[in-house]
Amino acid sequence: MSLDLWLEAHPYLRPLAELVTLVERAAAEVEVQSARIPEFDDYRADFLGGVPLLSSAAAAVDLEPAGRMAMALLERLSSSTAPEWLGNDTRALARELGRDPQAGRRIAEFLQGDETVTPPFPGLLRYLGWTAMARYLRPVGTAFGAWRNEEKWLRRYCPTCGSLPAMAQLIGVEPGRMRLLSCGCCGTRWQFKRTGCPFCEADSQRLASVTLEGEPFPRIDHCEPCGGYLKTYNGQGDEALLLSDWSSVHLDVIARDRGLKRLAVSLYDFDAARAS
Ligand SMILES: [Zn+2]
Ligand SMILES: [Zn+2]
């Protein structure tokens, strides 16, 4: 499945696709700081205790450089040929955050959920910040993925950043078929039980699934007790597109219309109207 084909079938996603492309292009021009790979043996006890990597004092991943990368991305977008609203909003963000000499650290704290950081356009900062953070963390994520024993995590939140899953993926064939959860913030994928809700941990009997006509994937798996849902990609090979979260924002609209609740953070609800 190519992006072009996907957009042909979902033309209403085009404005968002253009925005994502523009932001990714700008992010690629920002110099990548190199993240130090943690000593995973020091982190092992925290891992077994359910502490996500980025929250672990023992792992001590320094996120401040990622905050500086986010700041550089803001500055680049604010002076680029971005659409007017994006130029205006990123300028306002860069101006406000730039007053603090510790802007990089503050952005990193904000992305980690620190509510004392109250920027203008928080949704936009979350999106741009995680775009930079994901690039910064890439080598750490690769090393963590190689070190991590999936069977020893199986938790409902991201082993890297602690976020609840934005999406899921079903892979493999019986009897080895399994479900991965996918983080909408840092992009980590991790194993979870096949059925069962990651939001309230209700058991398997209560999960139902909605598949749209003419749309094989992703589908919407939802939980009756808590109303939470997971957009689920049932397949392999198109992860970059189909697990990107933005490429299925139309399913979030459908889920909301059915009274379901998005319980994971979305990086793409900074204001859907602005991207159209
Ligand atoms: Zn994550
Ligand atoms: Zn639930």
Side-chain angles (χ1 to χ4, degrees):
M1 176 62 67
S2 72
L3 176 60
D4 285 344
L5 276 177
W6 187 250
L7 293 179
E8 226 164 82
H10 309 89
Y12 42 84
L13 290 173
R14 263 180 215 287
L16 184 54
E18 280 163 17
L19 176 70
V20 170
T21 304
L22 182 131
V23 167
E24 288 295 339
R25 203 170 289 150
E29 287 166 6
V30 169
E31 196 194 338
V32 179
Q33 314 276 327
S34 49
R36 191 185 60 85
I37 309 292
E39 290 295 339
F40 288 112
D41 285 341
D42 294 347
Y43 165 64
R44 188 178 305 275
D46 273 355
F47 175 74
L48 295 175
V51 180
L53 184 69
L54 300 188
S55 307
S56 165
V61 180
D62 183 14
L63 299 179
E64 197 260 354
R68 275 189 274 126
M69 283 171 65
M71 194 65 190
L73 175 59
L74 282 175
E75 279 157 4
R76 188 164 284 273
L77 286 169
S78 65
S79 60
S80 72
T81 51
E84 198 184 350
W85 72 266
L86 185 61
N88 288 341
D89 293 4
T90 48
R91 254 190 302 283
L93 269 168
R95 202 182 314 119
E96 179 68 27
L97 293 162
R99 287 200 187 117
D100 189 337
Q102 296 292 317
R105 181 158 307 284
R106 297 296 279 160
I107 293 172
E109 287 164 354
F110 168 76
L111 296 176
Q112 288 254 282
D114 183 340
E115 289 173 3
T116 66
V117 188
T118 54
F121 313 111
L124 181 62
L125 181 61
R126 193 169 294 114
Y127 166 45
L128 299 176
W130 274 110
T131 300
M133 179 75 88
R135 284 176 176 269
Y136 171 73
L137 288 176
R138 212 166 275 163
V140 173
T142 304
F144 186 31
W147 174 83
R148 188 169 71 233
N149 179 348
E150 291 288 335
E151 303 277 323
K152 297 266 193 276
W153 185 261
L154 302 175
R155 293 174 194 271
R156 58 201 205 94
Y157 50 88
C158 173
T160 306
C161 76
S163 300
L164 289 169
M167 295 191 72
Q169 180 184 22
L170 291 165
I171 62 167
V173 288
E174 300 295 0
R177 195 156 162 76
M178 60 180 169
R179 182 165 68 156
L180 304 177
L181 300 181
S182 173
C183 179
C185 294
C186 75
T188 298
R189 270 179 287 153
W190 71 99
Q191 203 181 316
F192 193 64
K193 50 193 169 190
R194 263 282 287 288
T195 51
C197 174
F199 303 112
C200 73
E201 298 192 271
D203 64 23
S204 56
Q205 309 306 313
R206 294 173 187 270
L207 281 176
S209 181
V210 179
T211 307
L212 301 189
E213 226 181 298
E215 176 118 349
F217 40 63
R219 64 183 204 205
I220 302 169
D221 285 348
H222 59 93
C223 168
E224 276 165 24
C226 78
Y229 68 92
L230 273 176
K231 299 184 291 185
T232 299
Y233 168 35
N234 185 0
Q236 274 176 282
D238 288 315
E239 288 83 354
L241 175 64
L242 295 177
L243 290 175
S244 68
D245 203 5
W246 74 260
S247 67
S248 53
V249 290
H250 53 300
L251 297 185
D252 293 298
V253 175
I254 290 164
R256 194 179 56 213
D257 288 349
R258 288 175 180 243
L260 301 172
K261 286 177 284 196
R262 170 133 183 162
L263 296 171
V265 164
S266 169
L267 299 185
Y268 305 98
D269 65 1
F270 41 85
D271 189 349
R274 301 199 104 134
S276 56

